[in-house]
Amino acid sequence: MPRPQGDGLRDGERYEQGMVVRREVLSDAHVDRSIENTTDLTADFQDFITRIAWGDIWSRPGLDRRSRSVAVLTSLIAHGHHEELAMHLRAALRNGLTVDEIKEVILQSAVYSGVPAANSAFRIAGEVFADAPRDAGR
């Protein structure tokens, strides 16, 4: 049965769609590591995030991936999710944001999420960008 206002996809189809989007945004290497590290404890969570976060939300047509990356970065900064922030900074570059645009997102977050949050985000971004290929997002 399709979800109300839904796209009518079944869970298996949503999982497959989610896996495509997840790989495009995060990279095959990242997703492969996540799958390899899946345990009995985390298997249901991996299925959940693939179907819901990637197959449902990230696959919606209402925002492009650049816009979704801006929203995710802002939320991760606000909530202090540093490990996820590093991952999504790399994803933002893959989604076409430039380093200068990401800098503006972090500056904007300083006003609404606090200077300490932005300070941490700039530190993490510096580490991520130091490891990124030279031409990525520039």
Side-chain angles (χ1 to χ4, degrees), residues 77-124:
I77 292 166
H79 293 284
H81 298 299
H82 299 150
E83 183 177 319
E84 292 279 319
L85 178 60
M87 175 181 69
H88 278 282
L89 285 164
R90 288 186 287 276
L93 293 174
R94 291 176 63 83
N95 284 336
L97 269 74
T98 66
V99 170
D100 285 341
E101 289 171 323
I102 293 170
K103 176 180 76 173
E104 292 300 322
V105 170
I106 298 171
L107 282 169
Q108 184 80 17
S109 296
V111 174
Y112 294 95
S113 300
V115 170
N119 190 41
S120 294
F122 274 120
R123 178 186 51 77
I124 293 164

